[in-house]
């Protein structure tokens, strides 16, 4: 099972949209996942066992884990590219 952090400012609204899109994507590709939906400020203390970080805000810090910007799931722009990048890290 792959563990994915999905983070935004408050861990409520935008991260929920991105998390739901990622759940659907992974289900479609038979990739079992666990999503940890948290605030941006909580990323560093939740890295144990994480395979991928997706945020709906830009981050500059390198957490030493693969990272995908989740904004396409909110804007509708470049969704397919974001999905392919996510799948490339999880396969």
């Amino acid at each position: 099972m792959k563990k994915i952090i999905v983070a935004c400012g408050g861990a409520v609204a935008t991260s929920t949209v991105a998390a739901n899109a990622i759940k659907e994507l992974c289900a479609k590709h038979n990739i079992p996942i666990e999503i940890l939906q948290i605030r941006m400020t909580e990323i560093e203390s939740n890295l144990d066992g994480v395979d991928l970080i997706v945020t709906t805000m830009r981050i500059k810090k390198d957490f030493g884990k693969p990272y995908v910007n989740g904004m396409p799931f909110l804007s509708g722009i470049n969704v397919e590219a974001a999905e392919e990048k996510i799948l490339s890290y999880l396969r």
Side-chain angles (χ1 to χ4, degrees), residues 13-80:
T14 60
S15 62
T16 300
V17 173
N20 288 339
I22 293 166
K23 285 177 190 173
E24 289 177 21
L25 174 68
C26 290
K28 185 173 151 183
H29 291 273
N30 298 314
I31 300 171
I33 60 166
E34 172 191 349
I35 289 187
L36 182 58
Q37 196 172 326
I38 59 175
R39 291 179 176 89
M40 298 282 288
T41 57
E42 299 170 326
I43 292 173
E44 196 158 21
S45 61
N46 286 283
L47 290 172
D48 198 36
V50 167
D51 298 290
L52 177 64
I53 299 170
V54 179
T55 66
T56 58
M57 300 168 63
R58 285 183 197 257
I59 58 171
K60 293 183 180 175
K61 185 170 185 171
D62 181 357
F63 291 102
K65 304 284 182 178
Y67 166 72
V68 176
N69 187 310
M71 279 302 295
F73 297 116
L74 306 177
S75 68
I77 299 168
N78 294 324
V79 174
E80 290 172 8

